[in-house]
Amino acid sequence: MSNWAAFQALLKRDLLLYYRHRAELLNPLLFFIIVVTLFPLGISPEVRILEIIAPGVIWVAALLAAMLSLDNLFRSDFEDGSLEQMALSPHALPLLVLAKVFAHWLVTGLPLLLLAPLLGVFLFLPQEATPALLLTLLLGTPVLSLIGAIGVALTVGLRRGGMLLSLLVLPLYIPVLIFAANAVNVAAAGFPITGQLYLLGALLSLSLTLAPFATAAALRISLS
Amino acid sequence: MWAFANKLASPRNFYRLAGKLTPWLGGASLILLAVGLYGGLVLAPQDYQQGDSFRIIYIHVPSAWLSMFGYAFMAVSGAIGLIWRIKLAEAIAASVAPIGASFAFLALVTGSLWGKPMWGTWWVWDARLTSTLILFFLYLGVIALNAAIEDKRNAARASAVLAIVGVVNIPIIVYSVEWWNTLHQKATISIMKMQAPSIHIDMLIPLLIMALAFQLFFFTVVLMRTRGELLDRERNSRWVQELVDGKTPATTAKANEFSVSPPTS
């Protein structure tokens, strides 16, 4: 089996597994909606205030939802031993990691994109900013999954890794948050956002090329 | 050369050497600290704008430098431990993390104390303060991961991976935060404009002395903590048990010369 075939096979297997537990996939989305709903309740229902904080709030909620959903990325494979099989297989572990992260992003990152315009309406985000919100989420959420996978791989062997994961991963998410939320803010004010999008694209290509290697190294440590 | 490095890297030899070096490094650090503080707090002239409150830089700037140096030092020794599986490097990386975190914390606190009279608030979301805060969080992540994994060697390797990921990320974080907001005064001393730093020479000399004193202090504490860390990690080995049984390290060293020293080829 070539590396590419292994990539495809693993992607198919993971998507099938996610499909069989599809009820669980709703949880991060519900979390995303509920967290965003809390902000008007906690701050103020006024349009003037909400439209200012909307990009940041939506992005912080997306960040937390992406991170919390990552917890089960390697968990079941670790527990039933298939992760060890992957590590022992002749295929490049970084590539297999990439397949797993990609499958995970398809079922958790992508749906956030579909929900985001609705949440934009909740928070009175100006119409002009919606495309920018979607574009930043499209470029940014894969980065969150890729960087988060490193943290998950480091904590997968621990019984209570959840809190630790947030401590490890959230500081690394800061650049994505800064560029993405700023892009949406700037777009809401009616200015071009090509610069921010280029930077997000750079972050994406950097994490796409480097993060799978770090994740693979971390997995090998967790498995040892 | 390689044999010498190997010998030095054996926990027992390092333990002895570090024990001998610590008082010298610590003493030099204390002397420099006294000189630097006298120069900074008494001899250096007042700042024409900031009066006496500028003098906090003699603590603030060296701690900020060391918080960054500490992270790089931790990542490099972590990487050495990860690649060559050297136990000593793992112990050093584990013992640097809390020290670096303390320096980051010290930089934050002194910056805040200085900010109150100068900027009028304890905290501003300025780029450099924020990135020091994030650096502090990164340290805490490494420390937490180190504590969470029970097996010490696995913990060291896992936190080495995290530290290396952090090192790749730090420049990105620093530039993104800088781009996000800038209020902090520009760097006073930089290599690029060493000809004319924007600080008077009478103020600069004590600062450099303090930086050196802090650096020596850093290494003193690293050596002390690494010795403790080594004793903990090697507690089942013969040399530690002999040490605990009360024999002097010198005699055990001689007794073990043949059995422990690595083969030289």
Side-chain angles (χ1 to χ4, degrees):
Chain A
M1 207 197 260
S2 72
N3 268 329
W4 172 236
F7 179 87
Q8 281 177 315
L10 189 58
L11 186 65
K12 230 184 244 169
R13 167 192 175 267
D14 269 26
L15 287 177
L16 186 65
L17 280 176
Y18 284 127
Y19 178 71
R20 293 207 176 127
H21 301 275
R22 49 192 175 279
E24 282 173 28
L25 294 180
L26 271 180
N27 295 347
L29 298 180
L30 291 175
F31 174 85
F32 187 40
I33 299 174
I34 291 172
V35 167
V36 170
T37 328
L38 292 179
F39 279 88
L41 296 173
I43 297 174
S44 141
E46 262 189 75
V47 179
R48 201 167 33 83
I49 296 174
L50 286 180
E51 67 180 2
I52 296 173
I53 62 167
V57 168
I58 294 176
W59 251 99
V60 169
L63 207 101
L64 294 175
M67 191 201 68
L68 288 175
S69 71
L70 274 171
D71 197 43
N72 58 2
L73 176 59
F74 298 120
R75 175 87 53 206
S76 62
D77 280 353
F78 179 78
E79 279 165 0
D80 66 14
S82 19
L83 201 61
E84 272 181 337
Q85 298 297 322
M86 285 175 213
L88 288 174
S89 81
H91 307 292
L93 188 56
L95 199 69
L96 301 181
V97 164
L98 201 59
K100 284 193 75 66
V101 173
F102 185 50
H104 187 267
W105 178 77
L106 282 179
V107 295
T108 56
L110 209 53
L112 293 183
L113 246 81
L114 305 177
L115 272 180
L118 175 70
L119 295 176
V121 175
F122 273 16
L123 295 181
F124 311 107
L125 186 74
Q127 286 291 307
E128 313 85 81
T130 309
L133 181 63
L134 291 179
L135 268 175
T136 53
L137 281 171
L138 185 67
L139 288 171
T141 46
V143 182
L144 302 183
S145 296
L146 285 161
I147 296 177
I150 305 173
V152 181
L154 286 172
T155 54
V156 71
L158 305 173
R159 252 162 285 140
R160 276 187 289 279
M163 269 327 247
L164 184 60
L165 177 67
S166 51
L167 188 56
L168 302 189
V169 161
L170 286 180
L172 303 176
Y173 279 178
I174 287 166
V176 180
L177 176 68
I178 289 178
F179 291 126
N182 179 270
V184 183
N185 265 323
V186 169
F191 291 107
I193 53 164
T194 26
Q196 287 89 330
L197 290 181
Y198 282 150
L199 282 164
L200 280 173
L203 288 179
L204 177 58
S205 44
L206 197 68
S207 53
L208 198 61
T209 44
L210 293 182
F213 291 95
T215 310
L219 277 180
R220 286 194 196 280
I221 292 168
S222 286
L223 286 172
S224 67
Chain B
M1 172 64 202
W2 187 241
F4 173 73
N6 249 334
K7 209 167 184 173
L8 185 67
S10 95
R12 184 177 57 101
N13 287 333
F14 182 85
Y15 182 86
R16 272 176 43 217
L17 186 70
K20 277 184 197 148
L21 274 177
T22 307
W24 291 100
L25 279 178
S29 159
L30 266 181
I31 293 167
L32 282 175
L33 210 60
V35 174
L37 278 178
Y38 184 73
L41 300 184
V42 181
L43 294 184
Q46 277 196 354
D47 188 74
Y48 79 105
Q49 258 183 335
Q50 304 181 5
D52 275 331
S53 31
F54 96 95
R55 294 184 198 277
I56 204 164
I57 66 161
Y58 293 114
I59 304 292
H60 176 70
V61 174
S63 3
W65 281 345
L66 275 178
S67 67
M68 290 184 270
F69 173 82
Y71 201 92
F73 190 76
M74 178 176 75
V76 168
S77 46
I80 292 173
L82 199 62
I83 296 167
W84 288 290
R85 306 279 170 97
I86 297 176
K87 283 185 200 164
L88 174 63
E90 289 172 0
I92 290 178
S95 55
V96 171
I99 303 172
S102 323
F103 277 119
F105 184 71
L106 196 60
L108 285 171
V109 170
T110 51
S112 167
L113 287 175
W114 178 83
K116 186 61 184 164
M118 287 301 127
W119 292 335
T121 61
W122 293 109
W123 181 260
V124 281
W125 285 101
D126 147 71
R128 273 212 249 164
L129 267 84
T130 313
S131 43
T132 307
L133 185 64
I134 297 168
L135 183 69
F136 182 57
F137 289 154
L138 288 174
Y139 271 122
L140 293 187
V142 174
I143 296 171
L145 186 65
N146 233 328
I149 303 177
E150 263 168 49
D151 182 76
K152 286 262 185 190
R153 298 211 66 186
N154 269 346
R157 292 167 63 205
S159 19
V161 170
L162 185 67
I164 294 167
V165 171
V167 160
V168 175
N169 258 280
I170 283 175
I172 302 175
I173 293 175
V174 167
Y175 279 105
S176 64
V177 169
E178 195 155 302
W179 180 79
W180 164 73
N181 195 356
T182 302
L183 181 69
H184 197 288
Q185 62 184 57
K186 287 271 170 291
T188 309
I189 303 163
S190 73
I191 301 168
M192 307 303 277
K193 51 169 188 171
M194 209 49 197
Q195 279 83 16
S198 39
I199 179 171
H200 192 269
I201 191 77
D202 289 346
M203 295 177 178
L204 178 63
I205 289 171
L207 181 60
L208 293 180
I209 294 174
M210 283 301 278
L212 194 61
F214 268 58
Q215 188 78 58
L216 290 177
F217 175 72
F218 174 87
F219 281 119
T220 313
V221 185
V222 167
L223 287 183
M224 288 165 76
R225 281 190 57 91
T226 307
R227 286 182 89 206
E229 195 72 37
L230 282 176
L231 283 185
D232 187 28
R233 279 159 193 255
E234 301 276 300
R235 80 189 106 175
N236 290 326
S237 72
R238 205 152 60 121
W239 68 271
V240 175
Q241 285 173 358
E242 277 168 0
L243 204 68
V244 175
D245 287 345
K247 290 182 198 167
T248 58
T251 57
T252 54
K254 252 178 208 152
N256 286 346
E257 201 70 67
F258 299 102
S259 54
V260 181
S261 59
T264 49
S265 51

